[in-house]
Amino acid sequence: MLANNHKRIMRNTGMLYMRMLLAMAVTLYTSRVVLDVLGIEDFGIYHLVVGFIALLGFLQGAMTTATQRYFAFDLGDSGGKDLSRIFNTSLMIHCMLAVCIALVAETAGYWFVSTQLTIPDARMPAAVSAYHLAVVSFVFSVLMVPFTAMLMAHERMGVFAAIGMVDVLLKLAAVIILQYVGSDKLIAYAWLLLVVSLVTFTLYTIANKLLFPKIKLRWQWHSRQFRTMLSYTAWNTWGNLAAALSGQGTNVLLNMFFGPTVNAGRSIASQANGALNSFVQNIQAAINPQIIKLYASGDKSQMHSLVLHASKYNFYLLFMLALPVLLNTEALLGIWLVEVPPYAAIFLQLTIINSLIESFSGPLMTSAQATGKIKLYQTIIGSILLLNLPISYVALLKWQVPEIVLAVTIGISITAFLVRLAILRVLVGLKVMDYIENVIIRSACMSAITVATVYALNIIKASGIADLIFNVISALTISILAVVTIGLTSKERTKMILLLMSVKKKIYKGKKP
């Protein structure tokens, strides 16, 4: 059964990678063009106001996790017997949630954006208009959650990936159109992204109607299901609020202390890191339904094995991709962008380090969510994450340097990860010492030896394009060799060789006339 699960995960991951590679290429291109067309100031303003709306979206994050968990759990426990009821309850809650978020965003949120953020007076009307349009786009993203969760729970990654590719291509078209718009480009960009959100939402609803005809949309009140999901969501909300404040709240702090130019550097770092991190997110998205279904079926042994392997592979994959970027940050940013915003390089390096730490935690978080008993988990982890905001504020008052915010974030991430392990030991019986030995220690040894080797070979600073290419290829090659020889056990290496041979055989077979 575990072998079949691994095959399904690999197949689904492959489909998501196709979507991700297109998204990454388009994101890198569009970020360059939008930064050039809008300018550093407007670019920072747009991502600041959008980031503030995302801060209000902690409720959406809570419901997204709850929806995916309940869909996948029902499929693993009863084969989807109650799926229609769960879907309709979820859709009803998301409609209510969309209204609540819109009301908060257009009252308290509007007041904060128009009076508290550091935005030049001449650009305030455009910033406010972009904010209103971004609120509407966000409402569509909230309503989209039950439909995307249904696809993910059924592991219909091909459809999910296809719609994702359409969304990416539409955003590319929006950026191309933006270059020829004669009116205010900040407002035009917000309008174009609103149209993209509407089209994407329509595609998800059509896909669900065609693929799951047994799921009938009915506005029916299921009080017991509603209370169950709402109770689960209430505790999830605390964790998501803390995560939102930890991420977007510090972006607001940077704006208050240093202005929108620094926000532009943070936004570029976040987008570049997001492109790297999307590799891990795709693996995690393919694994999440399996972790929940294994727990629902009572197979904790296989679930623990999957959690350990997923944590380790998440880190390895991100490390292999991140190392060349960490060593050549300024050179790569110089090639990517027409004009590099201030602090973009140091922000990117620190953000990547934080992502490497967090890459271990994805499977742990999914395990906690699978149990449905998240009161203790969310209370403790949420409280730890929430400390990021006051500590960052105090650190900014003392040192007055933007990068201190990300240094604080890294410390918080390490603390939260260690506490997650302790909680999972109680919640699902995870063997912490096995996890430390097979995941943390092995990953740390592999990373240390790789970095030492890179330094010994002096693959550090590029003085030209040829040096940069050599550095990137060398760092990538060394990290891959280190993962295979040090990061994997002999049993895992054997499985990998057999898998590669199987893929090669299928490719060769497909080429035969």
Side-chain angles (χ1 to χ4, degrees), residues 1-7 294 302-303 305-306 309 495:
M1 181 178 175
L2 188 58
N4 290 333
N5 288 341
H6 284 169
K7 289 179 181 178
L294 286 170
Q302 288 195 32
M303 186 192 80
S305 176
L306 185 56
H309 283 91
K495 285 184 178 180

Side-chain angles (χ1 to χ4, degrees), residues 388-402:
N388 194 19
L389 198 56
I391 294 175
S392 294
Y393 181 74
V394 172
L396 284 171
L397 287 175
K398 182 174 178 59
W399 286 286
Q400 293 286 319
V401 289

Side-chain angles (χ1 to χ4, degrees), residues 274-448:
L276 289 173
N277 214 32
S278 58
F279 286 86
V280 173
Q281 291 169 351
N282 280 307
I283 291 181
Q284 193 60 51
I287 289 172
N288 284 343
Q290 285 298 317
I291 292 177
I292 296 171
K293 289 175 183 177
L294 286 170
Y295 180 85
S297 65
D299 197 346
K300 288 188 179 180
S301 177
Q302 288 195 32
M303 186 192 80
H304 292 166
S305 176
L306 185 56
V307 168
L308 261 66
H309 283 91
S311 293
K312 186 163 61 173
Y313 296 157
N314 278 356
F315 178 84
Y316 288 171
L317 181 58
L318 184 57
F319 179 81
M320 289 187 294
L321 297 169
L323 186 61
V325 179
L326 285 170
L327 298 177
N328 303 278
T329 309
E330 293 184 2
L332 290 171
L333 286 176
I335 293 174
W336 173 28
L337 303 173
V338 176
E339 183 178 1
V340 180
Y343 297 100
I346 186 62
F347 280 163
L348 178 54
Q349 290 170 333
L350 292 173
T351 302
I352 289 174
I353 292 171
N354 187 62
S355 291
L356 285 167
I357 296 165
E358 290 186 336
S359 65
F360 291 117
S361 296
L364 300 177
M365 290 187 279
T366 304
S367 299
Q369 299 290 345
T371 66
K373 303 172 184 177
I374 57 172
K375 179 179 178 179
L376 175 68
Y377 177 87
Q378 292 291 16
T379 300
I380 297 176
I381 298 300
S383 299
I384 292 172
L385 294 179
L386 198 58
L387 290 174
N388 194 19
L389 198 56
I391 294 175
S392 294
Y393 181 74
V394 172
L396 284 171
L397 287 175
K398 182 174 178 59
W399 286 286
Q400 293 286 319
V401 289
E403 57 268 32
I404 194 64
V405 168
L406 287 170
V408 172
T409 299
I410 290 171
I412 293 291
S413 294
I414 294 172
T415 304
F417 168 65
L418 295 176
V419 174
R420 282 189 185 101
L421 285 178
I423 295 175
L424 265 295
R425 180 178 180 273
V426 176
L427 210 54
V428 299
L430 184 69
K431 297 178 180 178
V432 175
M433 290 309 300
D434 283 352
Y435 189 98
I436 291 174
E437 180 183 347
N438 294 314
V439 179
I440 298 178
I441 294 178
R442 190 173 285 272
S443 299
C445 290
M446 182 277 298
S447 303

Side-chain angles (χ1 to χ4, degrees), residues 144 147-148 151 160 163-164 200-208:
M144 216 181 292
F147 300 97
T148 58
L151 292 173
F160 179 79
I163 297 176
T200 305
F201 170 74
T202 303
L203 290 175
Y204 276 119
T205 57
I206 293 173
N208 273 261

Side-chain angles (χ1 to χ4, degrees), residues 3 28 74 84 97 220 229 234 252 277 319 411 459 499 509:
L28 293 175
D74 188 63
S84 184
L97 182 60
Q220 295 178 341
M229 294 184 71
V252 173
N277 214 32
F319 179 81
I459 306 172
L499 174 63
K509 186 177 180 180

